[in-house]
Amino acid sequence: STEDGQLITIDLINPNSEEGTRGIKKVISGHYSACTALQRSPFVKDVLLTVGDWHFHLWQVDVESPLFTSPFASCLLSCGVWSPSRPAVVVIGKIDGSIDVWDLLDR
């Protein structure tokens, strides 16, 4: 991810595949400001969590739009992690010191 909130996919196996691209495959606008967390799901290897500004996204690799976007939070989000034991749970930290626990299977 970048300081501008973009999610960039690169090819490390063949980084010089196209002249001038340095292995960059895709650039996707994900957040309004820098991403403060980027983590791959420990259970579903092609799903990523990104946290930045006032919301978080869940992405599937090679899909250009998020699978899920959280509603805007009341303050900036500072970090986020997947639960190590529950595949559909993410924990999101806020700059005010509070945390939100999201169970994506809970209705």
Side-chain angles (χ1 to χ4, degrees), residues 42-43 82-89:
F43 300 97
W82 292 95
S83 166
S85 60
R86 298 186 58 199
V89 173

Side-chain angles (χ1 to χ4, degrees), residues 10-95:
I10 61 171
D11 184 353
L12 294 176
I13 295 172
N14 191 8
N16 296 320
S17 58
E18 294 181 32
E19 187 67 31
T21 63
R22 295 186 185 182
I24 296 173
K25 291 171 61 176
K26 288 184 187 174
V27 177
I28 301 167
S29 294
H31 295 276
Y32 296 106
S33 61
C35 285
T36 55
L38 169 63
Q39 188 178 42
R40 185 179 299 273
S41 167
F43 300 97
V44 183
K45 296 300 181 194
D46 68 339
V47 175
L48 304 170
L49 166 68
T50 62
V51 177
D53 47 61
W54 297 272
H55 61 270
F56 71 90
H57 296 298
L58 300 180
W59 302 85
Q60 184 172 3
V61 174
D62 294 329
V63 176
E64 292 191 20
S65 59
L67 298 172
F68 176 80
T69 299
S70 71
F72 279 85
S74 58
C75 66
L76 290 171
L77 305 181
S78 59
C79 58
V81 295
W82 292 95
S83 166
S85 60
R86 298 186 58 199
V89 173
V90 294
V91 180
I92 305 297
K94 299 179 177 181
I95 63 166

